[in-house]
C-alpha cells in the first residue's frame, strides 16, 4: 500500500518516486501550474487593478477543456497525489509563492540532469541556426533551472566565506531589526557627507543634480521601505543567499568577521553616495526592456547610428595620420629640410631672410656661421650639405621661439650721437664707478678684496643700493660727464675733486 501523501511531505514523495512515476507526477503538476496561471491572467485583466484570485474546486480542474486526455487519465489514476498537489499549489498561489515552491520541487525534474552539460557548453552552434530549440521546454523547467543555478552560487559563496564570516550578531529581534532598518533609512536621507554634486553647471545653466532631486522626492513610506529592504538584503548577503537578476548572474561577496561590520560599511555607503541609494530603485534592465520595448528599440538604433558615425570619423582620422606618418617616413632628409625651411619662412613675425646669429669665421668671412640658405649646385658634393641640413632642421624650432634678428653693429670709427643719461642712470654710473675704484689697487691696478668680513660686505651692499647724495651727483657731473677724472677721489667731496683737477691741469 503506497504511503499517505500530504502537502508537507510532497517533496519527499517526489524524490522517492522512480523515474517513470516521477514523469507521471510532473505531468499532473505541470497541468495544475498552467491551470492556475490562466486564472491569474484572467483576474489580472479584470478592472483597473488586479482582482483577488478565486480558485475553484479540483473537479473544475479535472473538467477543464485545456486538460489533455492522457493527463486527465493520469490524474484519475493518482487521485490522492492529484488532490494533495492541487491543494498545495492553490495554497502557495494565494500567497504569491507558487513560483518559488515549484522551483524548489523542480529539482526532481528530468531536465536537472542535463543542466551541467549546458553550463559547460559555452556557445552552442546549433542555437545560431534558424529554427533551433532551447533545451528548457516550459515555465516550470525555467523555474527549476534558475533555482538550480542559484543553489550552485550559494555553494560557491559559502565556500568563499568559510568560517570567518560571523553570524552570531545578525539581528533576530524586532527591536534590533527596527534599529538597523532605521539607521539605513536615515543614512540614505542624510546629505552632510554626500559626495554627489548637489548642482551641475554654472550661472544660468546651474541645475539641481537629478539624483539628489529624485532622492528628495521620495515619500516617507519609500524611505521606510528602503530601510527594511536593505536590512533583508544585508542579511541574505551576509549568509551568501543573495540572488542575481537572472539564472546566470554571479555575485562577488566579501567576508566580514561580524554582521555589524558589514552593516556599518553599507550604512557608510548610503551615507556618502546618494547615487547608490537611488540605484536600488532602478528597474532591472530586463524589466525595463519588457515594459518599453518600442522606446528601447528606437534608443538602441539611434545609439548605433551615432556610434557608427563617430567610429567612422575616428577611423578616417586614424588612416590620415598613418598615411601622413608613412609619407614623412619615406621622404629623404633633404626634402624634409626643404619643408622645414618653408615652414620657417611662413611663421608670422619672423624674417626668413635674417640670420640667427652673426659671426665670422677664422678667415674673416662675415657670412660664416649665419646659416643662410645658399643655392645648391648639382655638381657640388661638399660636406657642407650636412651642416646646411642640420641648421635648417632647427629653423622651425627657433621660429616658434620668436627670436628677433640681431641687428648689425654700428661703425665706431664714425662720430656717434648719444642720448643724455637721466638722473637715475647718472646715479647708477656713479655707484658703479665708486665700487670699481674701491676694489682696485691704486699703484698696480690689481684687484684686491676690499673687505673680508660678511658684515662689512652686507653694509657695503646696503650703501650701494641707497640713492646717491646731491654732493656725489655734482661731482659726477663735473668730473665724469665733463671729461674729468674717471673715479671719485679717496677723500671724497668737492674739495678733493677740485684738487684732483688742479693736479691734472698742465
Amino acid at each position: 500500500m503506497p504511503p499517505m501523501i500530504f502537502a508537507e511531505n510532497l517533496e519527499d514523495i517526489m524524490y522517492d518516486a522512480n523515474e517513470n512515476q516521477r514523469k507521471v507526477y510532473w505531468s499532473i503538476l505541470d497541468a495544475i501550474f498552467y491551470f492556475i496561471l490562466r486564472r491569474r491572467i484572467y483576474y489580472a485583466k479584470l478592472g483597473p487593478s488586479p482582482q483577488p484570485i478565486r480558485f475553484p474546486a479540483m473537479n473544475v480542474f479535472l473538467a477543464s477543456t485545456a486538460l489533455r486526455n492522457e493527463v486527465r487519465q493520469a490524474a484519475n489514476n493518482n487521485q490522492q497525489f492529484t488532490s494533495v498537489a492541487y491543494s498545495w499549489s492553490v495554497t502557495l498561489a494565494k500567497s504569491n509563492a507558487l513560483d518559488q515552491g515549484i522551483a524548489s520541487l523542480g529539482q526532481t525534474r528530468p531536465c536537472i540532469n542535463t543542466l551541467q552539460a549546458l553550463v559547460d557548453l559555452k556557445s552552442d552552434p546549433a542555437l545560431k541556426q534558424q529554427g533551433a530549440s532551447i533545451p528548457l521546454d516550459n515555465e516550470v523547467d525555467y523555474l527549476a533551472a534558475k533555482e538550480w543555478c542559484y543553489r550552485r552560487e550559494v555553494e560557491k559563496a559559502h565556500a568563499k566565506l568559510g568560517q570567518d564570516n560571523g553570524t552570531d550578531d545578525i539581528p533576530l529581534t524586532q527591536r534590533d531589526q527596527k534599529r538597523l532598518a532605521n539607521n539605513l533609512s536615515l543614512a540614505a536621507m542624510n546629505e552632510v557627507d554626500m559626495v554627489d554634486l548637489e548642482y551641475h553647471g554654472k550661472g544660468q545653466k546651474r541645475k539641481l543634480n537629478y539624483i539628489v532631486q529624485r532622492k528628495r522626492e521620495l515619500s516617507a513610506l519609500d524611505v521606510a521601505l528602503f530601510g527594511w529592504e536593505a536590512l533583508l538584503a544585508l542579511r541574505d548577503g551576509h549568509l551568501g543567499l543573495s540572488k542575481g537578476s537572472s539564472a546566470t548572474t554571479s555575485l562577488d561577496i566579501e567576508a566580514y568577521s561580524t554582521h555589524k561590520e558589514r552593516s556599518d560599511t553599507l550604512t557608510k555607503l548610503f551615507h556618502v553616495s546618494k547615487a547608490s541609494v537611488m540605484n536600488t530603485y532602478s528597474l532591472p534592465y530586463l524589466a525595463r526592456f519588457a515594459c518599453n520595448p518600442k522606446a528601447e528599440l528606437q534608443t538602441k538604433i539611434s545609439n548605433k547610428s551615432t556610434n557608427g558615425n563617430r567610429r567612422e570619423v575616428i577611423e578616417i582620422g586614424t588612416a590620415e595620420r598613418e598615411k601622413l606618418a608613412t609619407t614623412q617616413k619615406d621622404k629623404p632628409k633633404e626634402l624634409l629640410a626643404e619643408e622645414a625651411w618653408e615652414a620657417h619662412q611662413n611663421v608670422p613675425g619672423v624674417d626668413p631672410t635674417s640670420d640667427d646669429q652673426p659671426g665670422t669665421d677664422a678667415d674673416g668671412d662675415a657670412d660664416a656661421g649665419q646659416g643662410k640658405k645658399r643655392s645648391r649646385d648639382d655638381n657640388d658634393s661638399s660636406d657642407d650639405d650636412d651642416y646646411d641640413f642640420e641648421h635648417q632642421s632647427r629653423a622651425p624650432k627657433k621660429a616658434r621661439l620668436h627670436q628677433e634678428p640681431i641687428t648689425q653693429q654700428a661703425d665706431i670709427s664714425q662720430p656717434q650721437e648719444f642720448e643724455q643719461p637721466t638722473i637715475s642712470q647718472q646715479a647708477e654710473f656713479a655707484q658703479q664707478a665708486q665700487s670699481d675704484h674701491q676694489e682696485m689697487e691704486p699703484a698696480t691696478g690689481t684687484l684686491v678684496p676690499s673687505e673680508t668680513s660678511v658684515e662689512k660686505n652686507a653694509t657695503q651692499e646696503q650703501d650701494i643700493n641707497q640713492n646717491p647724495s646731491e654732493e656725489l651727483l655734482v661731482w659726477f657731473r663735473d668730473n665724469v660727464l665733463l671729461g674729468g677724472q674717471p673715479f671719485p677721489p679717496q677723500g671724497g667731496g668737492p674739495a678733493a675733486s677740485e684738487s684732483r683737477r688742479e693736479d691734472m691741469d698742465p
Side-chain angles (χ1 to χ4, degrees):
M1 180 177 179
M4 295 295 296
I5 301 176
F6 301 98
E8 294 81 4
N9 64 343
L10 183 60
E11 188 170 343
D12 296 335
I13 296 297
M14 294 298 296
Y15 275 103
D16 293 339
N18 57 46
E19 184 176 354
N20 293 332
Q21 190 64 39
R22 193 179 296 169
K23 290 181 180 180
V24 175
Y25 288 165
W26 270 115
S27 64
I28 298 173
L29 283 168
D30 288 352
I32 295 174
F33 178 85
Y34 277 93
F35 176 79
I36 293 177
L37 179 61
R38 286 190 291 269
R39 301 287 293 186
R40 291 167 59 185
I41 295 176
Y42 173 76
Y43 279 93
K45 66 181 181 180
L46 295 179
S49 60
Q51 301 295 316
I53 303 176
R54 297 180 180 180
F55 295 99
M58 188 182 67
N59 57 352
V60 178
F61 158 70
L62 293 175
S64 174
T65 56
L67 192 64
R68 293 181 301 174
N69 292 332
E70 58 271 19
V71 176
R72 184 180 291 107
Q73 184 64 35
N76 291 329
N77 295 337
N78 299 272
Q79 292 185 3
Q80 184 181 6
F81 177 85
T82 304
S83 176
V84 172
Y86 185 81
S87 176
W88 176 82
S89 300
V90 169
T91 302
L92 293 179
K94 289 181 179 180
S95 303
N96 200 25
L98 179 58
D99 289 356
Q100 180 60 42
I102 204 72
S104 180
L105 193 64
Q107 301 309 300
T108 61
R109 290 182 70 83
C111 69
I112 297 296
N113 298 328
T114 64
L115 296 182
Q116 184 59 51
L118 296 177
V119 171
D120 298 336
L121 187 61
K122 299 302 180 182
S123 180
D124 189 359
L127 295 178
K128 299 179 181 179
Q129 301 176 3
Q130 189 174 3
S133 176
I134 59 176
L136 304 179
D137 295 334
N138 55 25
E139 188 172 343
V140 180
D141 276 351
Y142 156 73
L143 293 173
K146 185 176 180 179
E147 178 68 16
W148 179 84
C149 293
Y150 164 68
R151 295 185 178 187
R152 291 178 70 248
E153 293 300 323
V154 170
E155 293 176 359
K156 294 179 182 179
H158 286 178
K160 183 176 182 180
L161 293 176
Q163 301 297 327
D164 297 334
N165 199 59
T167 59
D168 296 337
D169 61 338
I170 295 179
L172 298 178
T173 63
Q174 298 181 20
R175 181 179 180 180
D176 293 341
Q177 288 184 335
K178 171 64 181 300
R179 183 188 300 109
L180 179 56
N182 188 69
N183 291 339
L184 292 169
S185 295
L186 295 180
M189 295 298 104
N190 195 300
E191 297 182 3
V192 175
D193 298 327
M194 179 176 64
V195 297
D196 309 83
L197 293 177
E198 185 176 3
Y199 291 93
H200 290 303
K202 297 181 180 180
Q204 296 181 352
K205 296 183 178 180
R206 191 168 182 262
K207 188 177 181 181
L208 183 64
N209 188 349
Y210 178 65
I211 295 294
V212 179
Q213 180 181 356
R214 285 182 58 201
K215 183 195 73 66
R216 293 176 180 177
E217 293 175 353
L218 293 176
S219 66
L221 179 59
D222 292 332
V223 177
L225 292 175
F226 172 84
W228 283 98
E229 290 175 356
L231 179 144
L232 298 179
L234 184 63
R235 183 178 64 192
D236 290 344
H238 194 71
L239 295 174
L241 302 177
S242 295
K243 289 188 177 182
S245 59
S246 65
T248 57
T249 299
S250 298
L251 295 175
D252 293 332
I253 189 168
E254 299 172 344
Y256 291 86
S257 58
T258 61
H259 180 271
K260 185 179 184 303
E261 184 180 357
R262 185 187 297 273
S263 64
D264 290 345
T265 306
L266 182 64
T267 303
K268 178 69 173 179
L269 172 64
F270 291 152
H271 189 79
V272 301
S273 175
K274 305 312 162 188
S276 300
V277 174
M278 299 313 300
N279 284 342
T280 62
Y281 289 92
S282 301
L283 278 175
Y285 279 106
L286 188 56
R288 193 183 79 182
F289 296 158
C291 292
N292 304 281
K294 183 177 180 181
E296 294 293 340
L297 177 60
Q298 293 176 349
T299 301
K300 298 305 177 184
I301 293 177
S302 176
N303 291 344
K304 181 179 180 180
S305 176
T306 303
N307 295 335
N309 295 336
R310 181 171 57 187
R311 189 180 300 107
E312 183 179 358
V313 172
I314 294 175
E315 291 176 354
I316 293 176
T318 304
E320 290 295 332
R321 288 195 299 269
E322 293 177 353
K323 180 179 178 181
L324 179 61
T326 304
T327 304
Q328 296 292 338
K329 182 178 180 181
D330 297 338
K331 289 182 179 180
K333 62 179 183 179
E334 291 81 3
L335 183 56
L336 291 176
E338 296 287 345
E339 294 179 353
W341 179 258
E342 293 295 335
H344 174 65
Q345 290 180 324
N346 296 330
V347 174
V350 176
D351 187 3
T353 61
S354 64
D355 301 326
D356 292 330
Q357 294 290 340
T360 58
D361 60 0
D363 298 330
D365 187 3
D367 292 335
Q370 299 293 322
K372 288 185 178 181
K373 183 179 178 181
R374 59 185 177 84
S375 60
R376 292 176 56 98
D377 187 0
D378 295 339
N379 297 327
D380 186 5
S381 59
S382 63
D383 296 335
D384 294 340
D385 290 343
D386 295 338
Y387 171 78
D388 243 0
F389 167 72
E390 293 178 359
H391 180 77
Q392 293 167 11
S393 63
R394 293 194 297 267
K397 179 178 180 181
K398 294 182 179 180
R400 288 195 300 269
L401 297 177
H402 300 284
Q403 292 182 350
E404 295 295 333
I406 301 177
T407 58
Q408 296 181 356
Q409 296 180 0
D411 188 359
I412 61 176
S413 63
Q414 301 296 331
Q416 304 294 329
E417 295 182 0
F418 299 97
E419 296 180 357
Q420 292 296 331
T422 62
I423 296 298
S424 61
Q425 290 175 340
Q426 296 175 11
E428 292 177 1
F429 295 156
Q431 293 175 7
Q432 184 64 34
Q434 183 178 8
S435 176
D436 295 341
H437 176 74
Q438 292 175 355
E439 295 182 3
M440 291 289 296
E441 184 72 21
T444 61
T446 58
L447 292 175
V448 294
S450 58
E451 300 292 342
T452 57
S453 64
V454 178
E455 293 79 3
K456 188 63 178 178
N457 291 337
T459 304
Q460 180 180 356
E461 182 178 358
Q462 184 178 1
D463 295 338
I464 292 176
N465 293 331
Q466 292 178 355
N467 294 328
S469 63
E470 183 178 358
E471 181 183 8
L472 186 59
L473 292 176
V474 172
W475 172 87
F476 181 85
R477 181 194 61 190
D478 296 339
N479 296 277
V480 178
L481 296 182
L482 300 181
Q485 56 181 345
F487 301 107
Q490 293 290 341
S497 300
E498 292 293 333
S499 61
R500 179 66 181 269
R501 293 181 60 184
E502 293 175 359
D503 296 337
M504 293 180 62
D505 291 337

